[in-house]
Amino acid sequence: MEKPNLKHEAKIITALPEYEDAFINYFQDTTRSFMSLKNELLSGIGTVSHEGPARMRTSTDEVMLDKEPAKIEMKFNTPFDVILRTDVEALMKSIDEASDSGIESLVPQIFRFFGEVCDASGQVVDGRGQPFSFDLFLELLEKIEITFNDDGSPNMPTLFIHPNMRKVLEDNPPSEEQQKQMEELISRKRDDFFAKKRTRKLY
C-alpha cells in the first residue's frame, strides 16, 4: 500500500517548512495507522514511503504485472483554527474522517488488483453456477500456494470471503470424506513444497 502523500495538497501551516512537514507527516502517519486498525485487510499489508512517480511489478508464476500505485482519496475537514488552537479532539476527528474515506477509496482497488493477479496466475475457480460449498473451497485451495514450517505444519493463507460464503462453511462442516480430501491435499502440497526446497539452487 502506497503511503498517501498530502504534502503537495496541504496548505502551508506556518512560514517554517519544518513545522509544515512535521504536521503533514504526523497527519498522514496517524491516518494510515487508523486505517490499519480499522480494517483487517490493511492491517496485514506493509507500507512503503516513496517520493515521486513509481510503478509496482508483481510476479506470479512467471507472469509480470505492471501497476500504477493506488490513488487514495481522503475527504476530511480540518479548520485552520483547529491547528492554531491545538484542538487535539477536533484533529483526531479529522483524522478519523480521513481514515474512513481512505479505506473506502483504497480497499476496492486492492481487491481489484488481487483479482487481476489471480486471473493472470490461473488461481480463479469457476463455480459454474453452483452454490458455494466445501468442495469449491477445496478446489480453491488446490490452486493456492501453501508454504510449510520445518516441522511440516502448513502456513494456511488468509482468505477474505463474503459473509454469506463464510456462513455456508460454518453451517455445513466437511464430511469425513471431504476432511480426508483436505488432509490429502495438504499432504501433497507439503511433499511438493519440500521437494522444491531440496532442489532449489542458489545462483
Side-chain angles (χ1 to χ4, degrees), residues 134 138 141-142 146 148 152 154 156 174-191:
F134 194 83
L138 286 176
L141 285 182
E142 189 72 58
I146 298 177
F148 293 82
M156 297 300 290
S175 64
E176 290 186 9
E177 178 62 26
Q178 289 172 327
Q179 188 62 44
K180 182 180 179 181
Q181 292 175 350
M182 177 76 164
E183 293 171 356
E184 290 174 349
L185 183 152
I186 296 298
S187 178
R188 185 171 65 255
K189 285 185 173 288
R190 181 187 294 110
D191 292 342

Side-chain angles (χ1 to χ4, degrees), residues 105-119:
S105 171
L106 178 60
V107 170
Q109 298 183 68
I110 293 177
F111 277 113
R112 282 196 295 271
F113 178 57
F114 285 169
E116 292 173 10
V117 172
C118 290
D119 284 338

Side-chain angles (χ1 to χ4, degrees), residues 23-41:
F23 173 78
I24 294 172
N25 289 335
Y26 171 78
F27 193 97
Q28 63 187 14
D29 288 346
T30 307
T31 300
R32 189 177 69 251
S33 296
F34 272 38
M35 291 171 63
S36 294
L37 289 171
K38 291 180 177 183
N39 187 273
E40 186 177 358
L41 173 63

Side-chain angles (χ1 to χ4, degrees), residues 90-105:
L91 179 60
M92 288 299 103
K93 182 179 179 181
S94 294
I95 292 175
D96 190 50
E97 292 174 354
S99 64
D100 287 340
S101 181
I103 290 171
E104 193 174 314
S105 171

